[in-house]
Amino acid sequence: MDVPVSDPNDPVWQEIAERMPVLAWIADRDGQLLWGNRRWYEEIDMVSIGDLWTKSLPAEIRDAAMTTWATGTASGGAFTLSIECGSTRDGATRCVVTPAAPDMQGRFRWFAIAGDNAGQRRAESTQFATQAELDTLTNAMPQMVWATRPDGYHDYYNAQWYRFTGMPAGSTDGEEWNGMFHPDDQERAWGKWRHSLATGEAYEIEYRLRHRSGGYRWVLGRALPVRDGAGQIVRWIGTCTDIDSSKRAAEQNDILSRELSHRIKNIFAIITGLIRMSARRIPAVRGFADDLAARVAALGAAHDLARPHSEVSRPVVGEATLHHVLRELLSPYAEVQWQVTGDDVAIDDRGATPVALLFHELATNAAKYGALSTADGRVAIHTTCRGNDLTVDWREQGGPTIDRAPDTVGFGTRLATLSIEQQLAGTIARDWQREGLAVRVEVACDALVREPRTEAAD
């Protein structure tokens, strides 16, 4: 059964038909032209609304075309015309004619499409529809979307890009794209982009992009390659996300965190100074005072490791190991009360902060409620490494007897748990045994360092 095309008076249909990359027109049963699309008026000479559409055909084939038209329209269904379509530049020879919805007066109409060949035109129509769908999708996204050729030449931006930058369409194609970066970011961004082009690796970078206001805003740039069936890169599709507000908020939070940390460290320094001043007045307790001052200083060092850090404030751990960090964290407590044994592994600033958060919290709680709160209490930490799997066991003994697990979980404990599970993608399990708390932590060794390196000896 033949299905009529949509109402040609529909504005949505008209917009689609106007933009079709093929010759299209509508005529009544007698062949009178009622409508032609943009391509029609670009290709056909001296044919106006009300004329016979066959007016453009050579005289020797005009009558035969009109006869075919009359026969086809009388059948009431779709039909084809095999003719030379007048003065078209591409010399189209095949027309597909389909019944259209009647007009307001009930007059029957037929919709015709001419093309070089049906397959090519279907492909062009599909490509056109796909491009229209892509444009609609990318323009609906809040991010700036861009695309490049395999060699990195920028040839597509969505509406958000031009809205953000205020640049004329096409003015940032090719290498002109780099001119939109802050001068201090251009070389870094180009270096990262060239590396992705050479290796096929995903592109991700933060840089400052010139806004239409004339200022620069921080954005997150990302891109992934599009590959064909053979694995060859055929396009790069990328996005730019405005992160300026969150970036500046993070900077403000970092400044506040550093200021608070500075004040806390000053408090540690004041306490140490007061202890030493008091010891000078009572020489008999000088040894005890020196030991106490050293422990307060160690607490300050542990605090610096354990507090949240940004890229700017993170501590420089260098070639430290896990055992080194654990001993630093436990140094404020009597050495006879704790022991670190087992396999040692490398650690740097990536792993130091989450590890310090957890074990500083465990040590603090042990000093308040557990094994480190009594003179006879002991804490044993044992580390086991098998391949890339690291297990750390914390065991307390000799402290107050535990009747049951706590009813509530404090903020510090929740923060320490999140640091292991989210930052290091590890697991943590607590066992509230009667003789003392037992904790098992499991993480990947590679998660403790930014780049894997040779394991350090204990």
Side-chain angles (χ1 to χ4, degrees):
M1 182 178 65
D2 297 314
V3 180
V5 299
S6 301
D7 184 1
N9 294 319
D10 186 310
V12 176
W13 184 92
Q14 287 188 357
E15 175 63 17
I16 295 173
E18 281 291 335
R19 298 179 64 185
M20 290 176 65
V22 295
L23 199 68
W25 71 96
I26 294 176
D28 64 10
R29 178 174 294 171
D30 297 327
Q32 185 180 45
L33 182 66
L34 305 177
W35 171 88
N37 71 347
R38 188 177 306 159
R39 180 74 178 271
W40 168 274
Y41 290 108
E42 290 174 351
E43 301 288 342
I44 304 299
D45 294 336
M46 299 179 298
V47 180
S48 303
I49 299 298
D51 293 339
L52 292 177
W53 71 266
T54 54
K55 180 179 178 180
S56 66
L57 299 179
E60 61 271 18
I61 65 171
R62 189 180 303 152
D63 291 341
M66 198 64 238
T67 299
T68 303
W69 178 269
T71 303
T73 56
S75 70
F79 62 98
T80 60
L81 286 168
S82 296
I83 56 172
E84 188 71 18
C85 211
S87 60
T88 58
R89 289 193 298 267
D90 54 9
T93 59
R94 180 179 174 82
C95 305
V96 179
V97 185
T98 307
D103 62 11
M104 300 296 293
Q105 290 76 38
R107 180 171 47 177
F108 290 100
R109 300 176 295 181
W110 274 262
F111 178 67
I113 299 179
D116 294 325
N117 61 72
Q120 178 180 343
R121 290 306 184 188
R122 282 195 297 270
E124 289 178 354
S125 297
T126 300
Q127 182 180 2
F128 175 81
T130 301
Q131 183 62 45
E133 183 177 346
L134 176 63
D135 288 342
T136 301
L137 176 63
T138 57
N139 288 331
M141 294 176 64
Q143 287 90 359
M144 293 167 270
V145 181
W146 47 270
T148 80
R149 302 170 189 168
D151 61 1
Y153 184 93
H154 288 70
D155 59 3
Y156 173 82
Y157 300 92
N158 72 340
Q160 296 290 0
W161 168 271
Y162 293 112
R163 188 175 296 118
F164 180 94
T165 63
M167 298 295 290
S171 62
T172 54
D173 288 358
E175 295 189 2
E176 297 302 318
W177 168 69
N178 195 46
M180 299 303 299
F181 298 157
H182 190 283
D184 294 342
D185 298 337
Q186 290 184 9
E187 184 175 349
R188 178 173 59 90
W190 261 119
K192 185 81 171 179
W193 179 231
R194 290 192 186 100
H195 175 77
S196 293
L197 292 176
T199 63
E201 295 177 6
Y203 175 75
E204 181 169 333
I205 189 174
E206 293 181 4
Y207 50 74
R208 287 159 291 183
L209 190 66
R210 192 168 71 225
H211 188 254
R212 62 178 179 272
S213 64
Y216 288 89
R217 294 179 64 85
W218 281 99
V219 302
L220 172 63
R222 288 174 171 165
L224 290 172
V226 179
R227 300 178 184 272
D228 61 16
Q232 297 297 313
I233 295 176
V234 294
R235 294 284 285 170
W236 283 86
I237 305 295
T239 60
C240 294
T241 305
D242 188 344
I243 60 170
D244 194 75
S245 297
S246 59
K247 185 86 171 179
R248 297 189 188 282
E251 290 174 352
Q252 290 297 321
N253 289 337
D254 183 51
I255 292 172
L256 178 60
S257 176
R258 291 162 68 183
E259 175 64 20
L260 290 174
S261 179
H262 177 70
R263 294 188 181 189
I264 292 172
K265 291 174 71 174
N266 281 345
I267 292 174
F268 283 129
I270 291 172
I271 294 173
T272 302
L274 290 173
I275 293 172
R276 296 191 186 280
M277 286 175 61
S278 300
R280 285 198 293 269
R281 297 176 58 186
I282 311 174
V285 299
R286 182 169 296 174
F288 168 77
D290 288 344
D291 183 55
L292 181 59
R295 292 188 180 188
V296 172
L299 280 173
H303 160 76
D304 201 40
L305 273 176
R307 77 174 182 88
H309 288 280
S310 69
E311 290 293 315
V312 176
S313 68
R314 68 174 186 258
V316 179
V317 179
E319 297 297 321
T321 66
L322 176 61
H323 285 193
H324 169 76
V325 171
L326 293 174
R327 290 181 181 124
E328 285 290 321
L329 293 168
L330 292 168
S331 61
Y333 311 99
E335 291 188 20
V336 296
Q337 289 192 275
W338 56 267
Q339 185 180 35
V340 179
T341 60
D343 303 321
D344 201 1
V345 296
I347 193 171
D348 59 19
D349 54 274
R350 184 179 190 274
T353 297
V355 166
L357 277 171
L358 172 62
F359 288 97
H360 180 64
E361 181 67 19
L362 290 174
T364 300
N365 287 340
K368 291 189 290 186
Y369 317 112
L372 298 180
S373 66
T374 65
D376 296 330
R378 299 290 184 270
V379 172
I381 303 178
H382 186 75
T383 58
T384 305
C385 185
R386 291 186 176 89
N388 193 42
D389 299 324
L390 174 68
T391 301
V392 183
D393 286 302
W394 167 286
R395 289 189 173 274
E396 299 182 32
Q397 289 183 328
T401 301
I402 299 177
D403 295 326
R404 56 187 175 84
D407 295 327
T408 60
V409 178
F411 173 76
T413 299
R414 292 197 301 270
L415 181 62
T417 299
L418 287 175
S419 69
I420 295 297
E421 294 179 346
Q422 294 189 4
Q423 291 183 256
L424 300 183
T427 62
I428 180 171
R430 292 176 174 83
D431 184 7
W432 299 92
Q433 300 175 3
R434 185 173 178 80
E435 63 274 15
L437 174 64
V439 179
R440 169 161 288 193
V441 177
E442 296 180 341
V443 298
C445 295
D446 287 351
L448 301 179
V449 292
R450 293 184 179 275
E451 294 183 3
R453 59 174 182 260
T454 304
E455 291 186 357
D458 189 8

